[in-house]
Amino acid sequence: MIVILKQNTTEAQLNNFTGWLASQGLDVHISRGSYETVIGLIGDTSKVDEELVKSLEMVESVRRISDPFKSANRKFHPDDSVVKVDAEGKVAFGGGRFGVIAGPCSVETKEQIISVAGDVKKAGAVMLRGGAFKPRTSPYDFQGLGAEGIRLLLEAKKETGLPIITEILSITHIELFEDIDVIQVGARNMQNFELLKELGRLKKTILLKRGLANTLKELLMSAEYIMSGGNENVILCERGIRTFDNTYTRNTLDLSAVPVLKELTHLPVIVDPSHAVGSSKYVESMALAAVAAGADGIMTEVHNDPLKALCDGAQSLTPEQFDRMMSKINMVRQAVAK
Ligand code: PEP
Ligand code: MN
C-alpha cells in the first residue's frame, strides 16, 4: 500500500502518522520527491483500514500495490535512486549518474591488475572489477586467488584511486570484503537467499546480477531480500540469459530488461555485455546498444593479454579496444541525452 501525502504536511504530522503505522506492525519507506511525499507500507497491510487512512487531513490518496516487491518498487519511490559507491558520491549510479566499470575477469598477478587498472582509468572507467573468488563451471579450472586476489585489488586501488568491485561466493568470506567498495553477487548466486540476507545487514553497495535463467520479477525479489534487511544500496545488472539459441553467443542479452526494470524500480540498472555475448567481437556493439537503451552503466572485461587470460579471455577487450569503445560510448550518450 502507498499513501501520498499533501504538500503542506508538517514533519510533526508525518511522525505521528508513521508512529501509528509502526504500532500496527508495519515498516514504512518514506520517499520525499520534489512534488510529493510517498509513504510505502511494508508488511501485512490487509488489516489497514484504507478508508480511515484516506480520511486523514494530510492524506492526498491511498493505493494498494499488488507487486510482491515493495522497497525496490518505483511506486514506493518515484524518483531514481542514486546509489553511491563511496561516501561522498564521487562515483555513483542512477538518476543521471553513469559510469563504466572495467577490469579482468579474474585477478591473476600484481603486474596484470595494476597494468589493467591504469589502462582502464586512463580510458575513463570509474571503477575497477576483478574476480578473486571465481564461480567456475569446472572444479578443475582456475578458481581465483582468493584472499590474495582481494589484497592485489586493494593495491590497485591504492595505485590508481579507482574504487573496487569483486564477487562474493560465500558468506564465510564476508570479512575479507571489508575494504571492498562494491560487492558483486554473480548470476549463479542471485537466488542464494541466505547470502542476500547477510548482505542486507551491511551498508555497502551491492551489484546484483541477473541469474542465467531468472525472470525480471525474480531479480527484483532478490533485490528485495537485500533491501528488506536495511541495505538500500543495490545496483541491478543485466548480463544475458539462456535462450534456445546460444550457438554463436554465450547468452542472449535481454536489452529490454533495461527500460522494463527502469519502469518497475527506482534502482540503477547497468549492463554487462561481456558475459552476455562471450566474444570480444560483439562487446562494443552491445555496450553501445545498452547505453542507447538507457543503462546507468556498463561493466566490461578488459585484459592486458587476453590470449593468456586464466578466465574468459575470449570475451576480454584489450586496453586499446576498450579505449575505442569508451569514445563511442561518450558519443552515444551525447546522442541520446534528453
Ligand atoms: C563475473 O562478472 O565475473 C561473472 C562471473 O559474471 P556472471 O555472474 O554474470 O557470470
Ligand atoms: Mn568473466
Side-chain angles (χ1 to χ4, degrees), residues 274-296:
S274 305
H275 290 88
V277 297
S279 167
S280 57
K281 283 188 287 191
Y282 311 129
V283 169
E284 180 186 287
S285 50
M286 288 299 94
L288 300 180
V291 173
D296 297 300

Side-chain angles (χ1 to χ4, degrees), residues 10 19 32 48 89 109 151 156 170 202 210 259 264 317 330:
T10 63
R32 287 185 179 81
V48 178
T109 62
R151 198 186 64 72
S170 163
L202 306 181
R210 182 180 183 181
L264 294 171
L317 301 175
N330 289 334

Side-chain angles (χ1 to χ4, degrees), residues 167-237:
E167 179 171 356
I168 192 163
L169 293 187
S170 163
I171 300 173
T172 59
H173 297 150
I174 216 154
E175 279 168 17
L176 293 170
F177 287 71
E178 198 170 331
D179 297 324
I180 293 298
D181 301 282
V182 177
I183 300 181
Q184 174 173 320
V185 175
R188 290 154 193 84
N189 269 313
M190 190 203 89
Q191 288 191 313
N192 182 339
F193 300 119
E194 289 305 313
L195 177 63
L196 300 179
K197 281 188 218 167
E198 204 62 44
L199 298 176
R201 288 190 250 278
L202 306 181
K203 285 281 156 272
K204 227 179 251 303
T205 297
I206 310 296
L207 178 85
L208 179 64
K209 293 184 110 181
R210 182 180 183 181
L212 276 68
N214 285 111
T215 63
L216 295 180
K217 197 183 253 180
E218 286 164 343
L219 173 62
L220 290 169
M221 291 313 292
S222 289
E224 201 70 23
Y225 263 94
I226 302 169
M227 299 176 84
S228 62
N231 185 356
E232 305 214 322
N233 306 310
V234 179
I235 301 170
L236 303 174
C237 179

Side-chain angles (χ1 to χ4, degrees), residues 105 129 134-135 167 184 186-188 209 239 275 299 301:
C105 180
R129 62 148 288 147
K134 294 305 304 175
E167 179 171 356
Q184 174 173 320
R188 290 154 193 84
K209 293 184 110 181
R239 47 77 73 203
H275 290 88
M299 180 158 82
E301 288 187 338

Side-chain angles (χ1 to χ4, degrees), residues 10-279:
T10 63
E11 206 60 27
Q13 282 176 307
L14 179 66
N15 290 342
N16 222 346
F17 183 49
T18 53
W20 175 72
L21 291 168
S23 73
Q24 312 275 302
L26 296 167
D27 278 336
V28 293
H29 181 285
I30 304 171
S31 168
R32 287 185 179 81
S34 348
Y35 300 106
E36 58 190 17
T37 298
V38 178
I39 303 190
L41 276 51
I42 302 165
D44 180 10
T45 56
S46 60
K47 292 179 198 74
V48 178
D49 184 342
E50 203 173 318
E51 293 310 314
L52 176 69
V53 176
K54 270 188 199 154
S55 72
L56 300 174
E57 200 194 309
M58 63 192 178
V59 171
E60 179 78 45
S61 59
V62 177
R63 250 194 310 155
R64 288 213 177 259
I65 305 295
S66 53
D67 303 318
F69 47 97
K70 309 289 179 195
S71 303
N73 205 313
R74 192 179 278 284
K75 290 171 191 149
F76 273 34
H77 189 297
D79 294 337
D80 286 346
S81 277
V82 180
V83 175
K84 292 179 187 162
V85 165
D86 52 291
E88 309 93 80
K90 276 190 264 166
V91 177
F93 294 86
R97 301 290 301 273
F98 174 93
V100 176
I101 305 167
C105 180
S106 58
V107 182
E108 298 168 4
T109 62
K110 180 174 169 182
E111 293 66 37
Q112 173 238 20
I113 195 66
I114 302 254
S115 137
V116 177
D119 287 338
V120 300
K121 182 180 179 184
K122 204 157 87 206
V126 295
M127 194 169 1
L128 176 69
R129 62 148 288 147
F133 294 94
K134 294 305 304 175
R136 304 305 299 276
T137 303
S138 166
Y140 308 117
D141 285 339
F142 177 57
Q143 303 287 304
L145 297 179
E148 172 64 4
I150 299 222
R151 198 186 64 72
L152 294 178
L153 281 168
L154 294 173
E155 276 201 43
K157 175 178 177 173
K158 211 155 136 201
E159 193 88 12
T160 58
L162 285 178
I164 302 292
I165 175 169
T166 193
E167 179 171 356
I168 192 163
L169 293 187
S170 163
I171 300 173
T172 59
H173 297 150
I174 216 154
E175 279 168 17
L176 293 170
F177 287 71
E178 198 170 331
D179 297 324
I180 293 298
D181 301 282
V182 177
I183 300 181
Q184 174 173 320
V185 175
R188 290 154 193 84
N189 269 313
M190 190 203 89
Q191 288 191 313
N192 182 339
F193 300 119
E194 289 305 313
L195 177 63
L196 300 179
K197 281 188 218 167
E198 204 62 44
L199 298 176
R201 288 190 250 278
L202 306 181
K203 285 281 156 272
K204 227 179 251 303
T205 297
I206 310 296
L207 178 85
L208 179 64
K209 293 184 110 181
R210 182 180 183 181
L212 276 68
N214 285 111
T215 63
L216 295 180
K217 197 183 253 180
E218 286 164 343
L219 173 62
L220 290 169
M221 291 313 292
S222 289
E224 201 70 23
Y225 263 94
I226 302 169
M227 299 176 84
S228 62
N231 185 356
E232 305 214 322
N233 306 310
V234 179
I235 301 170
L236 303 174
C237 179
E238 164 62 37
R239 47 77 73 203
I241 49 171
R242 285 270 164 86
T243 65
F244 65 90
D245 192 0
N246 292 136
T247 321
Y248 301 108
T249 54
R250 184 171 174 180
N251 291 287
T252 300
L253 181 57
D254 177 10
L255 268 186
S256 59
V258 178
V260 173
L261 284 172
K262 287 178 77 71
E263 183 181 351
L264 294 171
T265 179
H266 52 92
L267 297 175
V269 181
I270 73 163
V271 170
D272 168 357
S274 305
H275 290 88
V277 297
S279 167

